Amino acid sequence: MATQEQCQVLDHKQVGPRYFKLTLKSHYISTNGEPGQFVNVRVDNGTEPLLRRPISLHRINKEHQTFELLYEVVGEGTTLLTKATIGSKVDVLGPLGSGFKLDPAKKIAILVGGGMGIAPLAALAEKLKTLGGRAVYALAGARDKSCLVCEDELASLANQSVVATDDGSQGRKGYVSDLLIDLLNNTVTQIHYPETAIYACGPKGMLKAVAEIAGQKKIACQLSLEEKMACGIGACLGCSVMTINGYKTVCKDGPVFDAKEISW
Ligand SMILES: Cc1cc2nc3c(=O)[nH]c(=O)nc-3n(C[C@H](O)[C@H](O)[C@H](O)COP(=O)(O)OP(=O)(O)OC[C@H]3O[C@@H](n4cnc5c(N)ncnc54)[C@H](O)[C@@H]3O)c2cc1C
Ligand code: FES
């Protein structure tokens, strides 16, 4: 159940060339929010832009009753959001959507983040760490070094982490899906597939590649999808995607789906 709330800005800082981290206070969202869910943010207190912007819960701190958003400045809305000052209030609707589902039988978690897809995976890694009893591998990829954001944070929450960039400017040269193949084929690590779950977030092409790898190896896999959104609550059907069970909305039925469900 989502709430609309004026959340106080506790911190707001630039963490990369186009990347910002916003810390907001909310007892309700920090208590009820789960990794993989998102909030719909009104980026300005005026009437423009009309539509809220969907942003994933990046970190959830139940103890301090705060949550963090990690976002990239790409257009009008995210540019306006950078102007939110510490102490001011931001109008937030959330938590929204259906997040990652954790199966206690899966003792190995592989987190695969492409670009800003890393954002919701930090909250997931933190939850997995808190629950304990699992080995967590974090794989992060980006176009180049300048597009890698908060990968250190993700690494600090995982047992093992690796980075790839398309141009080789940091970590392995190649795609994050190549890191996944490396890990699954690693004879030293010897990942036991039936005990493994893959959780991925990133661009569509990357998610498709990850779904194919998981399908070939018969590994459980959940994907966090991204679609342009208007209402964010399942009312306008603007974010519908085709699944094997018919059209589903990314904002309400997702954003996290079982990889086997998606019709590419
Ligand atoms: C479930 C979900 C979670 C997301 N989490 C994050 C996150 O954690 N960090 C982050 O940086 N970005 C995230 N995004 C993408 C983010 O919503 C867009 O980058 C943002 O809405 C762009 O707004 P803008 O006004 O700056 O850009 P513009 O391109 O000017 O936006 C114009 C319109 O298109 C919509 N739009 C544009 N790109 C996207 C997109 N990729 N997804 C959805 N709507 C879009 C905007 O909401 C707006 O209505 C997420 C998207 C979804 C759907
Ligand atoms: S954005 Fe309206 S149904 Fe998803």
Side-chain angles (χ1 to χ4, degrees):
M1 179 78 169
T3 183
Q4 185 186 343
E5 198 174 323
Q6 300 291 327
C7 299
Q8 192 178 17
V9 177
L10 298 183
D11 197 14
H12 197 183
K13 57 181 177 243
Q14 192 160 359
V15 292
R18 302 180 306 279
Y19 307 108
F20 285 76
K21 201 185 262 194
L22 176 64
T23 308
L24 296 169
K25 180 96 181 165
S26 167
H27 171 69
Y28 187 84
I29 295 172
S30 62
T31 305
N32 295 286
E34 290 294 337
Q37 288 191 296
F38 65 100
V39 290
N40 228 352
V41 180
R42 184 170 282 289
V43 291
D44 189 74
N45 289 330
T47 50
E48 290 290 329
L50 190 64
L51 295 177
R52 292 169 179 269
R53 300 308 193 243
I55 306 192
S56 306
L57 296 173
H58 169 60
R59 300 293 289 265
I60 304 165
N61 191 325
K62 293 185 196 299
E63 192 190 333
H64 293 114
Q65 303 182 357
T66 62
F67 65 96
E68 287 177 19
L69 306 179
L70 174 66
Y71 68 93
E72 178 178 9
V73 177
V74 293
E76 184 197 6
T78 43
T79 302
L80 277 169
L81 188 57
T82 64
K83 312 216 181 311
T85 51
I86 295 174
S88 68
K89 294 203 168 160
V90 174
D91 185 328
V92 172
L93 182 65
L96 295 168
S98 171
F100 293 105
K101 291 166 195 70
L102 302 185
D103 177 350
K106 304 293 180 194
K107 300 291 180 201
I108 300 161
I110 305 177
L111 279 46
V112 189
M116 281 313 295
I118 211 172
L121 298 182
L124 177 63
E126 190 161 37
K127 177 155 186 182
L128 290 166
K129 191 176 177 182
T130 307
L131 290 172
R134 288 176 175 85
V136 180
Y137 296 87
L139 316 180
R143 253 195 334 270
D144 59 47
K145 193 177 171 174
S146 74
C147 299
L148 265 174
V149 58
C150 293
E151 77 285 3
D152 294 351
E153 193 178 336
L154 188 62
S156 71
L157 296 163
N159 298 85
Q160 203 175 305
S161 68
V162 211
V163 162
T165 46
D166 298 0
D167 66 355
S169 52
Q170 191 168 327
R172 183 200 199 278
K173 186 175 190 300
Y175 298 132
V176 69
S177 49
D178 297 328
L179 293 178
L180 179 60
I181 296 171
D182 290 350
L183 178 63
L184 296 176
N185 291 341
N186 191 319
T187 49
V188 179
T189 319
Q190 286 197 336
I191 299 282
H192 187 228
Y193 297 165
E195 276 191 321
T196 302
I198 298 171
Y199 306 93
C201 184
K204 202 168 185 174
M206 179 213 115
L207 294 182
K208 189 164 182 268
V210 169
E212 278 166 12
I213 296 164
Q216 282 158 13
K217 309 266 186 199
K218 297 193 170 37
I219 299 175
C221 179
Q222 294 173 41
L223 306 175
S224 180
L225 302 191
E226 211 178 272
E227 278 296 325
K228 291 212 171 187
M229 290 185 179
C231 72
I233 53 167
C236 72
L237 306 184
C239 65
S240 300
V241 288
M242 190 46 146
T243 73
I244 55 166
N245 302 312
Y247 280 105
K248 293 211 170 172
T249 58
V250 171
C251 67
K252 194 166 177 218
D253 302 314
V256 179
F257 292 90
D258 189 311
K260 291 201 287 291
E261 215 188 327
I262 306 301
S263 300
W264 301 98

